[in-house]
Amino acid sequence: MHLSRAACTFVLTTSTALFTDAFLSPTHVTVLARLSATIQREAAAPSAEISTPSTFHDVQKLTFRELQRHCKSAGLEAVGSTAVLRGRLLGHYGLLRENNFEAQPDAGQSPKEIEELCATEGITFCDESDPLFDFKAILSDVLAKSSMGHWKTATRKLKQLDKRHSSPESPVPREAYLAVLEACAANRLNGARASEPARKILEDMSERGYEIPVELANSCVTNSLGDGPGGTHDECGGIDAALAMMAAVESSPGGEVALTDATYGKVVTTLAKDGAVEEAISVLRKMVVDKTFTPPLSVFADAAKAAAKSSEKQNAEDVLQVLTYVKAAGYELDNIAAVEAGRDILASGVIAAEKMDNLALGLRLLTAAAKAEGCAPDSGDALVATSSSAAQRACTLIHKRAIGKACEDSNWKLAVKLLELMSKRGLMPATSVWRNVLQTCCKNEKSKKATAILLDWVSLANEGKAEKPPVSVFNTVVNTCEVCGEEELTVKVLDVMKKTLDTEGNMVTFNIALKRLAKTGNVAGCEGILIGMLNEGLEPNVVSYTTTIGACAKEGMKNPSMASLWLQRMRTRGVQPNYHTYNTALAACLDGKLESTFVASKIASEMLEDAEKEIACGIRGSTNFKSTLPDAYTKVLARQLMKQLRENWRSGEIDMALAKTTTRVPLLKLVDFDKTVIAAKELVCEVDDEKTEDEIKENEEQDLEFALLKGLHKDDRRTALV
């Protein structure tokens, strides 16, 4: 009679021991046992009708961290071992497999019929074998292989023991797990290749409630980490295996205190090197907040540097979180710069502060570094600022922006202090930074400080540590010294300029010299400087001529005819007067003489003609340099000149009616000037609206120089605007 597979399974599994004692040879026993195991595995195979294998395997292939992320995204708890997380996901997505491990007999034969078929007349069978024979044999093999260091064979035997022969009444003993685990860990997990078996053993021990030895647990976690991608070693082990081991150990009896700070620290370092900043900081927080560990500064430094490398603003904020944990762990920011790891932490903080544009924080961290002792012969802040190219760049930008804000607020003391700190910290200020600080000092009329800064700049330039100051910077300082009456400083700065740049200066330098002579009314001296400018190949600009005309307006030394002559000369050189020039020339006519009034009337007519043309056609360039429209001061001068004319006719020097119809007309038009009325006139324009790039740049430079010099000159801004 033919027996079904179920019947054969029943017979084989219940009668192997009896046949072994009575009739079969050892070879037959082995073959029979293998056949029994094969049939049992086939019977235990999962049904093909369960969920799609590819989808199930997708979950099975997820690493520990990927399982955690999927659980979090699905709103599930992300705590537990690898098996727990996988089961949680499979259950959530409805992918759990239902395996039927019970062999079903053939429907046509009952168990009683099968027993009758197997019965032998006159013979009675009695099973006196040890039911745990296979269990004990395989357990013995597990222990033997483990003692010899054969971790692969021991692992396979342990899996066989657990899956086929263990039961709730006969579980795998703790000693078996420990023996295999020690074999795996004996040679640093054999280059991390044994990390997966070790992880599975730790998870099984945790699930069965076995206590895991502290030393063995820490050894397994640390030895699973390498220097390869993802913390692997020759593509074995890695961060996921280590995190899974940690989860298993922590969930085991007494596992909350089993892992040491060194183990956690190595995991943080490996995560940071792999770029997993968020996870590294999460483990770091667990160390400091939950475990109350005090990690070494090197662990904080690794996490901070990893966060600082990222270009994302969120990671910059992560650096600040690391700084918070540093303080929570008991470290003082003012002291940590004494060691390299502490300086790396502060440097990362400065880099993050620059990305967040938090200037105050960046400067505060550098100040903390400066307070650290034990950095001699250098200072802590200098070591932090020069610790890396990224730190040096961040420190330079923070100082530059802070100086810019100080200059905007006209806070020259703060600007000078920050500039001095840049040099002290080994940072090289850009030319624009030097210029901003100097201009701020000059605007506040701090001639001595401005001169000292300029000399420091020149000294660094001579050492090759900075670019040479441009002529315009020397001009700014010279002008400040002139305004403050510092004659010796003026001469000193001019001498340094000549030695540094091998030049007598540029247009602004000559204009400053003109201003010095104009203050004394030295018209001849001004003329000599203008001739010298032409000899040097420099064409005097409107500032130059206006300053020279200012010499003609010096009180007690007024020379209206010479002022008018200089107006003609500048036109012949192609330089158009502006309203400052006309105002200065009009002021030169206020000497009470009728001839001077005639000259003023002529100048007023020329100004009106230029103003009408400007309204009709517009101007190119800066208003300060180009505009000829009368301003409020023009009208004040015109009224004073009309008053002077009135005194002239009252003294009988000119007929009143003639004066009112001739000389006074242009002056009165200046007083009543209204550009909206003038705009209604039709004039022929010769102005080209298109500007070349060179003209735009020239106008920008003139605007800068004129605005600076105008703001610095206080003696007579209307008659000597330079």
Side-chain angles (χ1 to χ4, degrees):
M1 180 181 292
H2 174 71
L3 296 178
S4 67
R5 173 177 292 181
C8 291
T9 301
F10 177 81
V11 172
L12 289 170
T13 54
T14 54
S15 306
T16 300
L18 182 61
F19 289 149
T20 300
D21 292 340
F23 302 104
L24 297 180
S25 68
T27 302
H28 293 151
V29 173
T30 303
V31 173
L32 189 60
R34 288 179 179 175
L35 178 61
S36 174
T38 301
I39 295 176
Q40 288 179 355
R41 283 197 299 271
E42 292 177 356
S47 173
E49 298 179 359
I50 308 300
S51 60
T52 307
S54 60
T55 304
F56 176 83
H57 287 308
D58 285 342
V59 178
Q60 292 294 100
K61 292 178 182 178
L62 294 177
T63 64
F64 184 78
R65 285 184 292 172
E66 290 172 342
L67 289 169
Q68 286 183 321
R69 285 193 280 271
H70 277 76
C71 287
K72 290 178 181 178
S73 64
L76 304 174
E77 187 179 4
V79 178
S81 64
T82 305
V84 171
L85 295 177
R86 283 176 180 163
R88 206 170 282 158
L89 277 179
L90 291 171
H92 177 76
Y93 293 116
L95 302 176
L96 286 175
R97 293 181 174 183
E98 295 181 1
N99 298 323
N100 185 9
F101 295 100
E102 294 182 2
Q104 299 294 333
D106 193 274
Q109 296 171 327
S110 65
K112 186 175 181 180
E113 292 175 339
I114 295 174
E115 184 177 355
E116 291 178 353
L117 289 172
C118 296
T120 303
E121 185 176 354
I123 300 176
T124 303
F125 292 94
C126 179
D127 187 1
E128 296 179 349
S129 65
D130 185 358
L132 299 178
F133 175 82
D134 291 339
F135 178 87
K136 292 178 181 179
I138 297 176
L139 176 60
S140 178
D141 288 344
V142 168
L143 297 176
K145 295 297 182 182
S146 298
S147 64
M148 291 185 289
H150 297 172
W151 62 270
K152 290 184 178 180
T153 306
T155 300
R156 288 194 295 268
K157 292 288 184 178
L158 180 64
K159 183 177 181 181
Q160 181 182 359
L161 179 66
D162 182 35
K163 297 295 184 183
R164 301 179 185 174
H165 302 287
S166 66
S167 63
E169 295 77 17
S170 300
V172 178
R174 177 172 178 266
E175 290 74 14
Y177 286 115
L178 292 180
V180 179
L181 195 59
E182 289 173 354
C184 292
N187 190 20
R188 297 179 60 85
L189 292 186
N190 197 16
R193 284 186 289 274
S195 59
E196 279 302 311
R199 173 194 65 78
K200 187 64 173 65
I201 292 172
L202 290 173
E203 290 179 346
D204 289 345
M205 291 183 70
S206 174
E207 184 179 349
R208 286 162 175 73
Y210 291 151
E211 184 179 351
I212 303 173
V214 172
E215 183 177 354
L216 192 58
N218 287 279
S219 176
C220 288
V221 174
T222 55
N223 291 338
S224 65
L225 297 173
D227 298 325
T232 59
H233 181 83
D234 291 339
E235 300 182 356
C236 298
I239 296 172
D240 289 287
L243 292 175
M245 290 180 186
M246 291 175 63
V249 172
E250 289 173 344
S251 61
S252 66
E256 298 84 358
V257 295
L259 298 177
T260 64
D261 58 342
T263 300
Y264 281 106
K266 186 169 184 179
V267 172
V268 171
T269 298
T270 307
L271 285 167
K273 290 181 179 179
D274 194 51
V277 177
E278 184 178 349
E279 293 167 317
I281 293 179
S282 177
V283 177
L284 187 61
R285 180 191 181 281
K286 187 174 185 178
M287 293 179 67
V288 176
V289 179
D290 299 339
K291 302 294 184 180
T292 65
F293 288 147
T294 302
L297 287 174
S298 58
V299 175
F300 292 106
D302 291 335
K305 287 190 292 185
K309 285 181 182 178
S310 176
S311 59
E312 297 181 6
K313 184 177 179 181
Q314 175 61 41
N315 285 346
E317 295 175 353
D318 289 339
V319 178
L320 305 188
Q321 194 171 358
V322 173
L323 290 172
T324 303
Y325 294 149
V326 171
K327 296 183 68 176
Y331 292 104
E332 292 290 338
L333 296 182
D334 293 347
N335 298 327
I336 63 175
V339 296
E340 183 178 358
R343 293 192 290 271
D344 289 341
I345 294 172
L346 294 176
S348 300
V350 173
I351 294 172
E354 184 275 322
K355 291 179 180 178
M356 300 170 64
D357 200 24
N358 192 336
L359 305 182
L361 174 62
L363 294 173
R364 167 67 183 88
L365 293 175
L366 288 171
T367 302
K371 295 179 180 179
E373 299 178 356
C375 299
D378 299 312
S379 60
D381 52 346
L383 293 174
V384 169
T386 58
S387 60
S388 66
S389 58
Q392 192 171 31
R393 175 185 177 276
C395 291
T396 301
L397 291 176
I398 285 176
H399 283 82
K400 180 180 179 180
R401 294 172 190 170
I403 288 174
K405 290 185 178 295
C407 292
E408 289 177 4
D409 299 335
S410 195
N411 189 344
W412 68 272
K413 289 185 178 180
L414 178 58
V416 170
K417 179 65 176 177
L418 290 171
L419 182 64
E420 292 173 349
L421 286 174
M422 287 192 73
S423 299
K424 177 185 174 184
R425 290 165 177 169
L427 306 174
M428 184 179 293
T431 300
S432 59
V433 175
W434 287 103
R435 187 195 296 270
N436 284 342
V437 177
L438 279 172
Q439 288 182 355
T440 303
C441 291
C442 291
K443 288 178 181 179
N444 286 275
E445 299 182 5
K446 303 300 177 183
S447 58
K448 293 183 179 179
K449 179 58 70 175
T451 303
I453 293 173
L454 179 60
L455 295 179
D456 290 340
W457 186 359
V458 171
S459 177
L460 289 175
N462 292 335
E463 296 174 4
K465 297 180 180 179
E467 296 181 1
K468 292 182 179 181
V471 176
S472 59
V473 172
F474 284 99
N475 293 333
T476 302
V477 179
V478 168
N479 197 74
T480 304
C481 295
E482 280 292 308
V483 171
C484 298
E486 299 285 352
E487 296 292 335
E488 293 183 2
L489 290 179
T490 301
V491 175
K492 184 175 183 179
V493 172
L494 289 173
D495 289 342
V496 172
M497 178 180 68
K498 186 174 182 180
K499 293 179 181 178
T500 304
L501 304 177
D502 192 22
T503 179
E504 296 290 343
N506 61 5
M507 180 73 68
V508 179
T509 313
F510 283 105
N511 287 343
I512 293 172
L514 282 170
K515 187 176 69 172
R516 296 178 65 185
L517 295 173
K519 287 181 179 179
T520 63
N522 190 344
V523 179
C526 291
E527 183 175 358
I529 289 180
L530 290 178
I531 294 174
M533 292 174 68
L534 293 172
N535 292 335
E536 290 288 334
L538 292 175
E539 185 67 39
N541 62 8
V542 65
V543 177
S544 309
Y545 288 108
T546 302
T547 305
T548 303
I549 294 173
C552 302
K554 179 68 177 177
E555 194 66 35
M557 304 174 65
K558 293 183 183 295
N559 193 339
S561 59
M562 186 58 72
S564 178
L565 179 61
W566 278 112
L567 281 173
Q568 293 177 352
R569 288 178 176 176
M570 67 186 297
R571 287 194 184 93
T572 60
R573 300 294 302 182
V575 181
Q576 180 65 29
N578 59 22
Y579 69 95
H580 297 296
T581 313
Y582 281 118
N583 288 346
T584 305
L586 290 173
C589 299
L590 288 171
D591 60 356
K593 298 177 182 179
L594 179 61
E595 293 80 5
S596 300
T597 310
F598 290 155
V599 174
S601 179
K602 176 177 175 293
I603 294 172
S605 298
E606 295 171 353
M607 186 177 187
L608 287 168
E609 182 180 349
D610 288 341
E612 291 173 358
K613 187 174 181 180
E614 177 183 332
I615 291 173
C617 304
I619 59 172
R620 285 169 40 181
S622 167
T623 302
N624 279 334
F625 266 92
K626 302 294 185 179
S627 179
T628 57
L629 298 180
D631 64 352
Y633 185 61
T634 308
K635 297 182 179 182
V636 171
L637 291 172
R639 291 190 184 96
Q640 291 178 355
L641 288 167
M642 286 193 298
K643 183 178 180 181
Q644 178 176 287
L645 179 61
R646 185 167 61 248
E647 295 298 326
N648 292 144
W649 77 55
R650 286 179 179 177
S651 62
E653 298 179 47
I654 185 174
D655 181 69
M656 180 179 69
L658 180 62
K660 287 184 177 181
T661 56
T662 55
T663 306
R664 194 179 72 162
V665 173
L667 298 174
L668 186 60
K669 286 183 178 180
L670 286 180
V671 174
D672 298 334
F673 182 82
D674 187 352
K675 62 182 180 181
T676 58
V677 176
I678 301 296
K681 295 184 178 182
E682 295 185 1
L683 297 175
V684 177
C685 300
E686 299 179 356
V687 179
D688 185 6
D689 291 336
E690 295 185 2
K691 302 178 184 179
T692 65
E693 185 176 348
D694 292 339
E695 289 175 333
I696 295 174
K697 183 177 180 180
E698 180 182 359
N699 289 336
E700 290 176 351
E701 293 176 352
Q702 289 179 341
D703 288 343
L704 176 63
E705 294 179 357
F706 189 83
L708 176 62
L709 295 171
K710 177 182 175 183
L712 291 173
H713 188 72
K714 296 176 60 179
D715 294 341
D716 190 351
R717 69 182 182 89
R718 294 295 182 178
T719 59
L721 281 166
V722 292

